[in-house]
């Protein structure tokens, strides 16, 4: 969005801030600017001139012209423009001398394109009045920073900001006294006031369609709009000045004496001003006469009713349309225009009549002899009551973080167009102006932003909030879970996070009845229909997916099993599930590694064989005992689950483990006397758990045992095929003395005798 610096200066008399500093000021306090671009810099040296003599140059289409300039005296130039003729008034530029076809040319006569005042390059500029054009600068504002400010889509809105920022007065360009009274010459009907809150129109006759004056073309060119004709240029001028899109229809091309704002009929078509045909639907709002659509409301006019060279009467519309309706139509038709961009921001309905008032003045200038017919046709929804916001200065000061007086607050808000009334000491009732009430200002926090940006956020010293920091109470459960995570990570496991939802198929694979699960009322996917009562199905899915890419991996999850309870909230039981996958070995090492992880978390835990569940390997399933209770299971997944390789799993009830872990630990002093160690190898049946052997050895050693450690297991010759040898190292000692070799030998003999009495052979 481009804004003309000269235009802003016209609306803010006495503005003396140059374009670059003004751009920075606007960026810091109103909207982000992208830069300043020089416009028609050539006008700096231009001079009004009158062509005195024109002579042809032999063998050339160029002419030798003698001109009288207001600033540089008489000059001779070579000109190739077809409209160069004696007596015309034009513009002279003092460029370097050059010899063209044997004639010395001292300067040049410039076209509008060369000067940058319009896009006409077919001939030199023809002046029809006093030359008062000056170089301009276009301040470009980022459109994204204006989405909440419909008033800033016109120069008057930005000028209001500039006047407040620079403490200058603001000139209103609209002369409301020009609006005619009396019955309108055309009838306006609105089918749905929600889609068109207001539609205003005027009828003019004795219209002359011609090029606009040079100053008007220049104003539009400076902000990137293409001058077309005086009538069309006036509508664009008002749009750029007041942010009020307008459109002019050729009144003689309309059918009936009414303008109707309605939804398009199914299958209705219109050929727009861009000469493209558009298929409309009832979701599109149109402007129509008694027979057909003549414009797509808020987007573009129709070609049939367009202004042309023969136009003598016009209907000038100034309307306000529903922002969402215009946006949807623009997107559906893939047609974005200057008008639609403004209507999409929720324009002010009260601006329609102001736009007509401004257009009357401009049309009288650009089309001499134009006459109004009748009064203003104006149809509108009941006006909305402007928001009134209570604002306390002490609250505002506390929020801003810097002192500011009530008088300064009032001055800032009034300079921006707010009506401010004192409701008490240090308190105001602020009435929001209509141009800020559409989608912008509605609560006191919005007023806080207005004051904050105007005083400058750089004037606020950053300070830490003076809020008492209270250390939250310890959460033992959270701290315990962190300890479990660290322990698993230290053993090489990677944590995974899974949804708490399952499909019925996943639950069924582990023998879990779907009816025993909580059902999700609105599942986001087909595999998330029930709440999990076990972490195992999702871990199984993790194993299947990762086994496609890795031959060995370890993973774990800490999550909650969700078990329904009648008449109560579900019971959420925290569990740890860890898994070790290996594609190539027999999986035994994985079971032992998981047992070691269990021992790291639960010192002296015990693993005992157990009957396998449907999803467990029939020969590799066990329960985990700790401190007299079953706290979990270690097992290998059943081959029927489709895992290519071996997957060992540890499943622990963390709620129970944490409760058992809270028991008091008794202090034992360090040993003061040396200990002695010896090895024993026990021959046992091949499938007897080594844990049972360890317990019997420990029982035989009694209170003399300090430590017992597994050394090795052996099977093969000379042992029978159904036997194995399990070796342990036993460390014995006494708390009050060093045991003699005889005492150590006696303990060893006692253990051997008890083992033999239990039916074991020993390899001595």
């Amino acid at each position: 969005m481009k804004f003309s610096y000269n235009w802003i200066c016209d609306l803010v008399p006495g503005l003396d801030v140059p374009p670059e500093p003004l751009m920075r000021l606007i960026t810091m306090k109103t909207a982000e600017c992208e830069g300043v671009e020089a416009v028609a810099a050539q006008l700096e040296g231009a001079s009004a001139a009158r062509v005195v003599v024109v002579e042809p140059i032999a063998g050339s289409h160029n002419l030798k012209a003698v001109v009288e300039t207001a600033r540089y005296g008489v000059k001779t130039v070579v000109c190739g423009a077809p409209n160069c003729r004696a007596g015309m008034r034009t513009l002279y530029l003092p460029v370097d001398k050059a010899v063209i076809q044997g004639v010395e040319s001292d300067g040049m006569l410039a076209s509008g394109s060369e000067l940058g005042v319009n896009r006409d390059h077919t001939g030199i500029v023809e002046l029809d009045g006093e030359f008062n054009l000056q170089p301009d600068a276009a301040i470009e504002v980022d459109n994204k920073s204006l989405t909440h400010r419909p008033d800033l889509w016109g120069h008057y809105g930005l000028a209001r900001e500039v006047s407040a920022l620079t403490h200058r007065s603001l000139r209103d360009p609209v002369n409301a006294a020009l609006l005619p009274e009396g019955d309108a010459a055309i009838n306006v009907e609105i089918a749905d006031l929600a889609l068109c809150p207001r539609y205003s129109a005027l009828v003019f006759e004795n219209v002359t369609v011609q090029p606009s004056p040079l100053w008007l073309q220049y104003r539009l060119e400076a902000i990137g709009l293409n001058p077309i004709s005086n009538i069309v240029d006036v509508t664009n001028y008002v749009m750029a000045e007041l942010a009020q899109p307008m459109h002019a229809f050729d009144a003689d091309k309309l059918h009936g004496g009414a303008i109707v704002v309605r939804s398009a009929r199914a299958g209705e078509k219109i050929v727009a001003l861009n000469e493209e045909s558009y298929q409309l639907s009832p979701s599109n709002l149109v402007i129509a006469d008694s027979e057909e659509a003549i414009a797509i409301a808020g987007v573009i006019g129709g070609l049939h009713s367009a202004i042309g060279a023969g136009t003598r009467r016009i209907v000038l519309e100034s309307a306000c349309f529903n922002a969402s309706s215009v946006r949807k139509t623009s997107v559906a038709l893939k047609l974005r225009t200057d008008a639609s961009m403004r209507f999409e921001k929720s324009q002010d309905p009260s601006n329609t009549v102001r736009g007509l008032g401004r257009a009357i003045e401009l049309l009288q200038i650009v089309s001499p002899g134009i006459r109004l017919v009748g009064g203003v046709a104006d149809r509108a929804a009941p006006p909305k009551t402007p928001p009134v916001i209570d604002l306390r200065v002490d609250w505002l000061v506390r929020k801003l973080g810097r002192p500011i007086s009530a008088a300064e607050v009032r001055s800032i808000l009034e300079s921006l167009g707010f009506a401010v009334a004192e409701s008490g000491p240090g308190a105001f009732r602020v009435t929001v102006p209509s141009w800020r009430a559409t989608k912008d200002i509605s609560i006191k926090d919005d007023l806080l932003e207005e004051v904050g940006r105007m005083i400058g956020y750089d004037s606020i010293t950053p300070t830490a909030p003076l809020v008492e920091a209270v250390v939250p109470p310890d959460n033992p459960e959270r701290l315990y879970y962190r300890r479990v995570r660290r322990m698993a990570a230290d053993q090489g496991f990677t944590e995974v996070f899974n949804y708490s939802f399952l499909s019925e198929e996943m639950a069924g694979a582990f023998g879990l009845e779907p009816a025993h699960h909580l059902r999700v009322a609105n599942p986001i996917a087909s595999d998330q229909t029930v709440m999990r009562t076990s972490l195992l199905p999702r871990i199984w899915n993790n194993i299947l997916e990762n086994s496609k890419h890795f031959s060995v991996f370890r993973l774990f999850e800490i999550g909650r099993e969700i078990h329904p309870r009648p008449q109560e909230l579900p019971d959420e039981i925290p569990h740890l599930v860890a898994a070790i996958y290996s594609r190539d070995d027999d999986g035994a090492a994985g079971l032992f590694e998981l047992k070691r992880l269990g021992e790291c978390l639960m010192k002296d835990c015990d693993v005992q064989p157990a009957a396998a569940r449907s999803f467990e390997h029939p020969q590799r399933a066990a329960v985990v005992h700790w401190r007299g209770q079953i706290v979990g299971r270690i097992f290998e997944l059943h081959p029927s689950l489709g895992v290519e390789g071996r997957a060992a799993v540890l499943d622990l009830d963390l709620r129970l483990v944490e409760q058992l872990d809270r028991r008091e630990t008794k202090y034992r002093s360090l040993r003061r006397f040396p200990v002695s160690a010896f090895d024993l190898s026990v021959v046992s049946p091949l499938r007897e758990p080594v844990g049972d052997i360890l317990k019997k050895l420990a029982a035989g050693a009694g209170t003399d045992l300090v430590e017992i450690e597994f050394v090795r297991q052996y099977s093969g010759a000379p042992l029978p095929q159904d036997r194995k040898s399990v070796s342990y190292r036993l460390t014995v000692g006494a708390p009050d003395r060093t045991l003699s070799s005889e005492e150590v030998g006696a303990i060893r003999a006692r253990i051997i005798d008890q083992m033999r009495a239990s039916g074991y052979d020993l390899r001595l």
Side-chain angles (χ1 to χ4, degrees):
M1 178 72 181
K2 291 183 178 180
F3 292 88
S4 162
Y5 175 76
N6 289 347
W7 204 334
I8 293 174
C9 289
D10 286 349
L11 297 170
V12 185
L15 179 65
D16 55 0
V17 182
E20 288 282 350
L22 183 62
M23 177 204 70
R24 289 191 289 270
L25 189 61
I26 293 171
T27 294
M28 294 303 297
K29 298 191 176 185
T30 300
E32 181 182 357
C33 297
E34 297 182 337
V36 174
E37 176 185 342
V39 177
Q42 301 89 332
L43 289 174
E44 182 66 34
S47 172
R50 184 175 67 86
V51 179
V52 179
V53 178
V54 174
E55 298 177 2
I57 299 175
S60 171
H61 70 279
N62 292 327
L63 302 172
K64 175 184 175 182
V66 178
V67 297
E68 291 180 347
T69 70
R71 296 174 62 181
Y72 305 105
V74 177
K75 297 289 183 180
T76 299
V77 299
V78 174
C79 180
N83 64 333
C84 182
R85 64 190 183 277
M88 74 176 293
R89 296 184 67 251
T90 185
L91 286 179
Y92 167 84
L93 290 182
V95 299
D96 295 338
K97 293 181 179 181
V99 177
I100 302 174
Q101 295 177 322
V103 178
E104 184 180 71
S105 180
D106 185 6
M108 66 177 288
L109 304 180
S111 68
S113 176
E114 291 167 328
L115 288 168
V117 298
N118 59 29
R119 302 180 190 183
D120 182 12
H121 55 79
T122 60
I124 58 176
V125 169
E126 295 194 45
L127 297 180
D128 55 1
E130 292 297 321
F131 170 64
N132 55 6
L133 303 184
Q134 297 295 326
D136 200 354
I139 300 174
E140 187 161 2
V141 180
D142 184 359
N143 285 2
K144 296 187 292 297
S145 66
L146 300 178
T147 55
H148 66 301
R149 293 289 303 272
D151 59 311
L152 292 188
W153 284 76
H155 281 72
Y156 185 61
L158 188 62
R160 183 186 294 109
E161 293 284 319
V162 171
S163 72
L165 295 174
T166 59
H167 308 289
R168 297 283 183 178
S169 62
L170 176 67
R171 183 182 69 84
D172 189 348
V174 177
N175 183 1
L178 295 176
L179 290 167
E181 297 180 354
D183 296 335
I186 191 166
N187 187 37
V188 172
E189 300 174 12
I190 301 175
D192 187 347
L193 289 171
L195 296 178
C196 178
R198 191 169 190 178
Y199 192 98
S200 308
L202 281 172
V203 177
F204 295 84
E205 65 181 7
N206 200 32
V207 174
T208 302
V209 178
Q210 60 190 3
S212 294
L214 199 58
W215 66 266
L216 178 52
Q217 296 185 45
Y218 180 32
R219 274 284 163 90
L220 297 178
E221 182 66 30
I223 58 174
L225 295 178
N226 183 26
I228 298 172
S229 69
N230 55 346
I231 306 302
V232 176
D233 291 350
V234 164
T235 64
N236 286 335
Y237 188 98
V238 174
M239 177 183 69
E241 186 172 63
L242 302 180
Q244 176 59 51
M246 305 183 77
H247 185 70
F249 301 101
D250 187 325
D252 294 325
K253 296 178 181 178
L254 303 183
H255 303 92
I259 293 287
V260 182
V261 185
R262 59 170 173 81
S263 296
R265 302 186 180 99
E268 191 168 13
K269 293 183 179 181
I270 185 172
V271 178
L273 288 172
N274 59 4
E275 300 184 2
E276 295 286 336
S277 177
Y278 294 95
Q279 180 79 41
L280 304 177
S281 70
S283 64
N284 307 135
L285 191 68
V286 298
I287 313 300
D289 58 17
S290 61
E291 294 186 6
E292 61 183 354
I294 57 175
I296 303 173
V299 182
I300 195 170
L303 184 62
H304 171 71
S305 58
I307 302 298
T311 299
R312 294 294 174 263
R313 295 194 310 127
I314 64 171
V315 175
L316 185 64
E317 73 160 20
S318 182
C320 181
F321 301 108
N322 177 275
S324 298
S325 173
V326 173
R327 175 63 174 167
K328 291 176 182 177
T329 296
S330 176
V331 171
L333 300 180
K334 298 181 175 61
L335 180 60
R336 196 164 174 81
T337 62
D338 290 307
S340 71
M341 285 191 290
R342 286 165 173 80
F343 282 124
E344 289 170 10
K345 309 303 182 292
S346 295
Q347 287 293 328
D348 177 12
S350 65
N351 207 28
T352 63
V353 175
R354 281 176 52 81
L356 290 177
R358 180 60 169 144
I360 292 172
E361 181 178 2
L362 293 170
L363 287 172
Q364 290 173 347
I365 296 172
V366 303
S367 180
I370 193 171
R371 291 191 299 270
L372 278 164
V373 181
V376 179
D378 189 24
R379 297 292 179 270
K384 295 181 179 179
T385 303
V388 178
I389 303 171
D390 291 317
L391 179 68
R392 291 196 58 83
V393 177
D394 56 354
W395 172 86
L396 189 144
V397 169
R398 187 172 69 253
K399 287 288 187 178
L400 278 179
R402 60 151 282 185
I404 182 171
S405 67
E408 190 176 359
V409 171
R410 182 169 194 157
S411 175
I412 289 173
L413 293 176
E414 287 180 340
S415 70
L416 293 171
F418 294 87
V420 183
E422 189 171 352
S423 59
F428 297 117
R429 286 181 64 80
V430 182
T431 302
V432 181
S434 60
W435 62 85
R436 299 295 300 276
T438 52
K439 279 189 177 179
D440 187 10
I441 305 294
S442 59
I443 58 177
K444 63 181 180 179
D445 300 81
D446 296 328
L447 298 178
L448 168 69
E449 290 183 0
E450 294 297 298
V451 175
R453 69 183 178 87
M454 294 302 289
I455 63 173
Y457 292 117
D458 56 344
S459 69
I460 302 172
T461 303
T463 57
L466 299 177
V467 179
E468 182 181 1
V470 180
V471 179
D474 286 340
N475 187 325
E477 182 183 75
R478 182 182 300 156
L479 295 175
Y480 181 75
Y481 293 164
R482 288 178 181 173
R483 183 162 69 87
V484 172
R485 284 187 173 92
R486 285 196 298 268
M487 184 62 70
D490 290 344
Q491 305 304 315
F493 289 81
T494 299
E495 187 172 10
V496 297
F497 297 89
N498 288 310
Y499 285 117
S500 297
F501 313 112
L502 303 173
S503 66
E504 294 185 9
E505 293 76 12
M506 293 176 72
F510 284 79
L512 305 173
E513 287 292 334
H516 297 161
H517 292 67
L518 285 173
R519 187 166 294 279
V520 180
N522 297 295
I524 61 175
S526 60
D527 62 342
Q528 300 182 27
T529 56
V530 296
M531 303 291 286
R532 66 184 178 188
T533 59
S534 171
L535 276 63
L536 295 174
R538 284 291 180 188
I539 289 291
W540 166 54
N541 187 65
N542 295 144
I543 294 171
L544 289 175
E545 292 300 318
N546 284 279
S547 64
K548 298 175 183 177
H549 309 283
F550 306 101
S551 59
V552 178
F553 58 83
R554 300 180 178 200
L555 53 85
F556 77 97
E557 180 182 13
I558 294 176
R560 297 181 183 274
E561 293 183 350
I562 302 170
H563 297 271
R565 292 184 295 188
Q567 310 303 321
E568 292 185 70
L569 291 174
D571 188 16
E572 300 185 24
I573 305 174
H575 269 244
L576 164 71
V577 176
I580 296 178
Y581 170 80
S582 177
R583 186 178 298 164
D584 302 323
D585 61 29
D586 65 354
L591 292 168
F592 284 114
E593 283 291 291
L594 289 174
K595 181 176 181 292
R596 183 165 68 86
L597 174 60
E599 290 172 339
C600 291
L601 297 172
M602 306 168 291
K603 182 176 173 56
D604 299 327
C605 68
D606 183 29
V607 176
Q608 291 292 328
R613 295 177 290 187
S614 61
F615 53 87
E616 297 175 345
H617 192 289
Q619 300 300 324
R620 293 188 171 182
V623 293
V624 181
H625 292 263
W626 191 44
R627 294 182 175 176
Q629 296 199 47
I630 296 176
V631 296
R633 293 179 73 89
I634 290 180
F635 57 90
E636 187 176 289
L637 289 179
H638 197 284
S640 65
L641 290 176
V643 179
E644 296 183 4
R646 300 279 189 164
V649 179
L650 168 66
D651 185 2
L652 295 178
D653 182 340
L654 282 188
R655 177 192 288 175
L656 182 55
V657 172
E658 183 186 9
Q659 291 172 355
L660 297 175
D661 201 26
R662 291 176 182 172
R663 292 185 179 182
E664 294 182 358
T665 302
K666 293 184 178 180
Y667 168 76
R668 290 190 303 174
S669 61
L670 297 175
R671 285 190 169 274
R672 298 174 56 197
F673 301 96
V675 294
S676 300
F678 53 85
D679 291 352
L680 289 177
S681 298
V682 180
V683 179
S684 68
L686 189 63
R687 299 198 63 82
E688 181 170 0
V690 294
D692 292 348
I693 301 172
L694 181 145
K695 291 176 183 178
K696 290 183 173 65
L697 289 171
T703 58
D704 296 317
L705 182 66
V706 176
E707 184 180 11
I708 182 169
E709 180 182 3
F710 173 82
V711 178
R712 70 179 63 86
Q713 176 178 303
Y714 172 76
S715 59
L719 297 175
Q721 291 185 353
D722 62 343
R723 295 285 165 171
K724 64 182 177 182
S725 173
V726 184
S727 299
Y728 286 92
R729 176 161 295 154
L730 290 83
T731 302
V732 295
D736 56 351
R737 68 186 191 285
T738 301
L739 295 178
S740 64
S741 58
E742 290 79 8
E743 289 176 313
V744 173
I747 294 171
R748 181 175 182 275
R750 184 177 73 235
I751 296 172
I752 292 172
D753 291 342
Q754 289 189 11
M755 294 300 292
R756 284 174 173 167
S758 298
Y760 293 96
D761 290 331
L762 284 87
R763 300 175 67 197
L764 303 175

